[in-house]
Amino acid sequence: MNYIRTLGAVSLVYLRRMGVMGLFLLKTFFYVFVPPLKFTRVLKQIRFIGLQSTSVILLTGGFAGMVLGFQGFYSLSRFGSDAFLGPMVGLSLIKELGPVLSALMVTGRAGSAITAEIGIMRISEQVDALELMGLNPYRYLIVPNLIAVVISMPLLTAIFDVIGILGGYLIGVKLLGVSAGTYFGEMASYVDMKDIMEGIYKSLSFGVIIIWVCCYKGFYTGIFTGFGAEGVSKATTQAVVMSSVLILVWDYVMTSLLF
Amino acid sequence: MIKIDGLYKLFDGKDVLRGVSLGVRKGEVIALIGGSGSGKSVFLKHVVGLMKPDRGRVIVDGMDMSTLRGRDLTGLRDRLGFLFQGGALFDSMTVFENVAFPLKEKTKLNDKLIRERVFNELEHVGLSGSEYKYPSQISGGMVKRAALARALVMDPEIMLFDEPTTGLDPVIGAAILNLIDSCHKRLSFTGIIVTHEIPKVFDIVDRVAMLHEGIIWADDTPEKLMSSSEPIVHAFVGESANSSIRHQSGNTVVRG
C-alpha cells in the first residue's frame, strides 16, 4: 500500500512540474506579443546565442561535412554511385545533421550558460528584486532569449549546412576525385526547397526547446533543483540533458510528420 | 497602512506562521524580532506578495496582497521598497547602473536627471566614488548601502528591511541602522525592519514586535519590551542585548 502511495505522490510531483513547465512556455509566448519589448536585451542575446556560437558551428559543421564525405563516398562507391555524393551530403546536412548538431552545440554553449545565469539570479534573489521593482522577469530574462534564438538558430543552421557541404566537397572532390560539377550539379537536382524548409522548421523548433528548457530550469533553481551552488549545478546539468534528449525526440516526431 | 490578519503558512507540513496578526500605521517604523528560523523573512515576503498565504490576509494600503494580480500588484509594488538580506544587486551591473535601473525602467526621466538622482542617492548612503564598481568589487556594508540606495531611489512609501545588518561588523551594522533612521526622517516611509540587532534597533523604531512559535508573541514600544517580565521576551531581549554588549566589549579588547 505504501508503495502505491509513494508512486502516486511521485507521479503527482512530476505531473505538477510538467504543468508548471507548460505554463512557463505559454507565459513566455504571451509576453513575446505584449509590449514593451526589451530591444537592447534582445540584441545582446542575439550576440551571445548567435554571433558567439559561430566559431563552434563553423568547426563542427566543417568536420561533420568531411566525415560525411568519407563515409558517403565509401558507401556509395560500393554500388558505383559515388556521383551521388553531393546529394547525399547535402540532404543529410540540410534535413538532419545541420539542425540537430547546431541545436546540440547551442545547447552546450549558450543554453547551459543561460540556465546558470538565471539560476544564480534566482538564488541570489535578483529575480525577486526584479519582481519587487514591479518589473516582469519573463520580459527581462526569458522573452529576449526566445526572440534571439528564433532569429539565430536558422542562421546558425544555414552556416552549419554550408560549411558542411564545403567540408564534403573538400574530401569528395579534392581528396577522393569526384568531379566538382557532379558534386554540386547532382546536389542542385536532388535538394528541393521543401528539404531546406524542413531544416529551417526543425532549427526553429529546436531553438524554442533549448530556451524553454534552459530558462525554465534556471528560473526554478532553488525551487525544484535544490539550493546554492549545487542547485545551479544540478539545474545546468538537467537543462543540457533534457534539452538534448527533447531535441532528438522532437527531431524524430518532425521527421515522421514531414516524411 | 499595513495590516496582517491571521496569516498562516505551512512548509513541508510544518506551520511556520500560525495566525500572525500585526498592524503598522502610516509613517511608523517597527522592528520584527525573533529567533533564527522563526519565520520573520517568510512573513516579510508575504507582505510584498512574493509568497501567498495558506490562510489569512495581508492588507497594504487597503488592498489585499494575496489576491492582487497584474497591474494592480505592479502599481502597489511601485510604492514599495525592499532591502534584501544579501542586497540582491544585479551582479552584471555597476553600482550606478543598479541604482539607475528602476529609474530607467519605471520613469520617463532623461539620462541627465537619472544621473543626478543616482549620484544624489549614492551620496546620501555614503557611496560617492564607488559608482562604477561592480557588486563583487565592494564590501558587504557597501553592498547593503548600494541596495538601500536602489530601494530608496524611487521614494517608496513603504520600506521593508530583511536583516539589514546581518553579516556586518558592529560598527558598520550601527552605521547602516543610522542610515535607515536618517532616510526615514528624510522620506517618512512606513517601515518594517526584520533584525537581530538588539538593542541597537530599538533606538530607531516606534514599536517592536516579537515573532515566536509562529505568532506575534509581543508587540510594544521598545522601552516596555526592554523592561518586560514576560519570560520568553525577557529571555530573548535580555540575552540578545547582553550578547551584543559582550560582543562589542570583545571588539574593544581586541582593538585595544
Side-chain angles (χ1 to χ4, degrees):
Chain A
M1 198 63 189
N2 271 342
Y3 173 76
I4 295 169
R5 192 175 291 142
T6 310
L7 192 71
V10 170
S11 308
L12 280 176
V13 167
Y14 277 97
L15 263 177
R16 185 174 164 263
R17 286 187 188 180
M18 280 167 68
V20 172
M21 200 171 161
L23 278 175
F24 182 85
L25 184 66
L26 285 179
K27 274 188 186 176
T28 305
F29 277 127
F30 175 75
Y31 286 114
V32 167
F33 299 105
V34 178
L37 179 67
K38 296 293 152 193
F39 191 66
T40 321
R41 281 196 66 83
V42 172
L43 288 180
K44 192 178 159 223
Q45 290 312 99
I46 289 176
R47 180 173 176 267
F48 176 65
I49 298 170
L51 186 67
Q52 293 179 353
S53 299
T54 316
S55 53
V56 75
I57 291 293
L58 286 171
L59 207 65
T60 47
F63 280 103
M66 287 197 279
V67 169
L68 269 180
F70 272 124
Q71 297 290 6
F73 186 84
Y74 176 76
S75 306
L76 292 170
S77 61
R78 287 185 153 198
F79 312 106
S81 311
D82 46 316
F84 293 106
L85 183 66
M88 203 223 88
V89 170
L91 284 172
S92 306
L93 282 168
I94 290 167
K95 283 165 73 84
E96 284 301 328
L97 290 176
V100 171
L101 290 181
S102 317
L104 293 178
M105 289 300 123
V106 171
T107 303
R109 205 204 70 79
S112 56
I114 288 168
T115 306
E117 185 185 353
I118 299 175
I120 289 169
M121 287 185 77
R122 168 62 79 189
I123 61 166
S124 59
E125 297 181 311
Q126 293 175 50
V127 177
D128 289 342
L130 264 181
E131 270 192 64
L132 289 185
M133 284 176 200
L135 302 170
N136 188 320
Y138 282 84
R139 190 165 284 147
Y140 282 83
L141 303 175
I142 320 296
V143 169
N145 281 313
L146 185 70
I147 295 174
V149 89
V150 163
I151 293 169
S152 305
M153 270 313 294
L155 295 174
L156 288 172
T157 305
I159 293 170
F160 189 101
D161 293 345
V162 170
I163 294 298
I165 289 166
L166 289 178
Y169 170 85
L170 194 72
I171 299 302
V173 177
K174 296 291 176 189
L175 198 69
L176 301 173
V178 176
S179 103
T182 310
Y183 184 82
F184 285 117
E186 293 297 331
M187 195 187 291
S189 311
Y190 284 94
V191 178
D192 298 330
M193 196 59 197
K194 180 179 159 284
D195 302 317
I196 295 170
M197 290 312 290
E198 186 181 328
I200 290 174
Y201 294 145
K202 280 186 176 178
S203 66
L204 280 172
S205 57
F206 294 160
V208 172
I209 288 173
I210 294 167
I211 293 307
W212 176 28
V213 174
C214 294
C215 288
Y216 163 79
K217 285 288 176 187
F219 202 74
Y220 286 96
T221 301
I223 300 167
F224 293 154
T225 53
F227 296 94
E230 196 185 329
V232 177
S233 149
K234 262 191 201 169
T236 310
T237 308
Q238 287 177 6
V240 172
V241 172
M242 196 192 242
S243 301
S244 306
V245 171
L246 275 181
I247 284 166
L248 294 172
V249 171
W250 187 244
D251 182 44
Y252 169 77
V253 174
M254 283 202 79
T255 305
S256 57
L257 286 175
L258 299 168
F259 192 69
Chain B
M1 190 76 173
I2 303 172
K3 191 171 184 298
I4 293 98
D5 192 14
L7 187 64
Y8 273 81
K9 187 70 181 178
L10 261 83
F11 281 118
D12 299 327
K14 188 189 172 225
D15 38 3
V16 178
L17 302 177
R18 298 188 300 122
V20 173
S21 295
L22 184 70
V24 187
R25 287 185 291 274
K26 194 174 169 61
E28 190 179 37
V29 176
I30 75 158
L32 184 66
I33 61 171
S36 296
S38 59
K40 301 186 296 293
S41 296
V42 170
F43 170 83
L44 219 51
K45 285 185 176 171
H46 279 88
V47 176
V48 291
L50 280 178
M51 285 183 179
K52 302 286 176 203
D54 294 332
R55 257 191 292 159
R57 295 193 311 161
V58 178
I59 310 292
V60 180
D61 203 19
M63 287 176 274
D64 190 344
M65 258 319 204
S66 51
T67 56
L68 276 185
R69 294 277 184 281
R71 282 185 188 166
D72 293 335
L73 183 61
T74 307
L76 189 55
R77 280 181 174 162
D78 285 346
R79 297 160 57 200
L80 291 172
F82 195 102
L83 181 65
F84 286 88
Q85 196 174 335
L89 292 177
F90 301 122
D91 46 19
S92 57
M93 294 183 190
T94 61
V95 168
F96 175 88
E97 287 166 338
N98 262 287
V99 181
F101 186 73
L103 290 172
K104 277 188 178 166
E105 297 296 333
K106 304 292 291 187
T107 69
K108 291 194 167 100
L109 294 176
N110 62 35
D111 285 354
K112 188 171 170 272
L113 281 173
I114 288 176
R115 196 179 157 79
E116 269 174 30
R117 279 191 60 175
V118 172
F119 272 77
N120 197 22
E121 205 60 57
L122 287 174
E123 195 185 332
H124 275 129
V125 299
L127 275 183
S128 297
S130 302
E131 293 88 353
Y132 300 108
K133 288 184 176 162
Y134 284 89
S136 59
Q137 296 173 315
I138 57 178
S139 68
M142 289 163 89
V143 166
K144 290 268 166 85
R145 283 164 186 265
L148 185 60
R150 186 179 69 180
L152 293 173
V153 77
M154 296 289 284
D155 294 340
E157 293 168 43
I158 299 164
M159 263 306 297
L160 304 160
F161 303 88
D162 189 5
E163 306 207 13
T165 56
T166 298
L168 304 176
D169 71 56
V171 178
I172 303 288
I176 294 282
L177 290 179
N178 288 336
L179 190 58
I180 291 172
D181 192 34
S182 68
C183 291
H184 175 240
K185 282 175 181 144
R186 183 163 59 93
L187 300 168
S188 307
F189 52 71
T190 304
I192 300 177
I193 306 174
V194 164
T195 184
H196 289 288
E197 206 68 57
I198 303 167
K200 281 182 203 158
V201 74
F202 289 3
D203 295 336
I204 66 163
V205 297
D206 303 301
R207 262 171 48 222
V208 181
M210 182 177 162
L211 191 61
H212 181 66
E213 292 187 350
I215 57 166
I216 297 294
W217 196 266
D219 178 5
D220 221 324
T221 61
E223 297 77 23
K224 285 187 180 164
L225 214 76
M226 282 291 274
S227 57
S228 172
S229 57
E230 203 283 327
I232 290 172
V233 176
H234 181 75
F236 188 77
V237 174
E239 185 50 41
S240 301
N242 290 337
S243 152
S244 171
I245 291 162
R246 279 199 301 273
H247 190 66
Q248 282 179 52
S249 61
N251 276 355
T252 310
V253 170
V254 171
R255 283 175 190 173

